[in-house]
Amino acid sequence: MHLTTLARHALSRGRTPADTYALLARRTRKPLPSARAVCLALTIPLAETTRRLNDCYDALLADPRPDSETDTGELLEALGVFDIPKSLTDTELAIVDLFITAVDAMGGIRPGHQHGLQRWFTTGNLTTAYLSLTAARPMPRTGDPALYWATLVTAGELLTTTHHSEIRIKYALAHCRTRAARAART
């Protein structure tokens, strides 16, 4: 049976992408084709699949340890290798651009936070990205608080006009407006 077909079947039976990878990798002893099959079964385009797998090949797929298929699958999932990209509307793309401006205005960001934001942008989870940024703060020495908070106000206003709008965004937007007003006075 073709690996991608087997992956589709396992996913249709409720297996997670990590579990599906582990099943295929145990069966074939071929980690790269197994990971590729899961991505293709999830309808991730081949070019994007290739890019993602090239990024993690040396660390995870080139020389696997025996009986590490489950751990490797979970790592691939945590790294976002199996994230299904969402096509964003023009408004959503504008919001992502504002988020990137806000990240630049932070003056520095932890790698884990950056990774999470990238995954949320890829999957279109803009509400979570916004709430994450509104809970963070610009760096005292290198950040630009006025630009940071003003940019998040603009992003929040755009988010409230989309289907993503929910009460948490309205509260976060109010928080950003307060912070922006304070930052403008200093």
Side-chain angles (χ1 to χ4, degrees):
M1 183 179 269
H2 192 266
L3 278 181
T4 303
T5 303
L6 186 57
R8 271 192 207 102
H9 179 73
L11 292 165
S12 74
R13 297 281 195 195
R15 285 186 181 262
T16 66
D19 291 339
T20 301
Y21 166 81
L23 172 78
L24 297 178
R26 260 192 298 280
R27 182 176 281 187
T28 65
R29 299 285 178 219
K30 296 179 180 177
L32 181 60
S34 298
R36 183 180 300 114
V38 174
C39 289
L40 295 175
L42 291 167
T43 67
I44 299 170
L46 180 59
E48 178 65 12
T49 293
T50 301
R51 184 194 63 76
R52 291 179 188 189
L53 294 176
N54 284 343
D55 287 348
C56 65
Y57 177 77
D58 290 336
L60 294 174
L61 302 171
D63 189 25
R65 292 183 336 266
D67 300 321
S68 65
E69 297 87 2
T70 300
D71 294 338
T72 301
E74 289 172 2
L75 280 170
L76 290 169
E77 195 161 9
L79 289 172
V81 171
F82 301 136
D83 286 352
I84 300 169
K86 179 185 180 283
S87 294
L88 300 178
T89 65
D90 289 341
T91 302
E92 291 168 331
L93 288 170
I95 292 167
V96 169
D97 286 342
L98 288 166
F99 290 164
I100 292 169
T101 300
V103 168
D104 289 343
M106 283 179 93
I109 187 168
R110 293 181 333 271
H113 193 188
Q114 179 69 37
H115 175 70
L117 288 169
Q118 189 59 50
R119 288 188 71 191
W120 296 323
F121 298 164
T122 298
T123 59
N125 193 346
L126 303 184
T127 297
T128 302
Y130 183 70
L131 296 174
S132 172
L133 288 169
T134 62
R137 295 176 187 209
M139 302 293 282
R141 291 190 181 100
T142 57
D144 182 344
L147 178 59
Y148 182 75
W149 295 112
T151 302
L152 289 180
V153 166
T154 304
E157 289 169 348
L158 272 176
L159 266 174
T160 60
T161 67
T162 68
H163 65 278
H164 299 287
S165 186
E166 60 177 76
I167 195 70
R168 295 181 306 163
I169 291 179
K170 292 175 182 160
Y171 285 122
L173 177 56
H175 170 74
C176 291
R177 285 185 175 132
T178 301
R179 291 285 187 163
R182 281 189 206 149
R185 286 188 293 235
T186 58

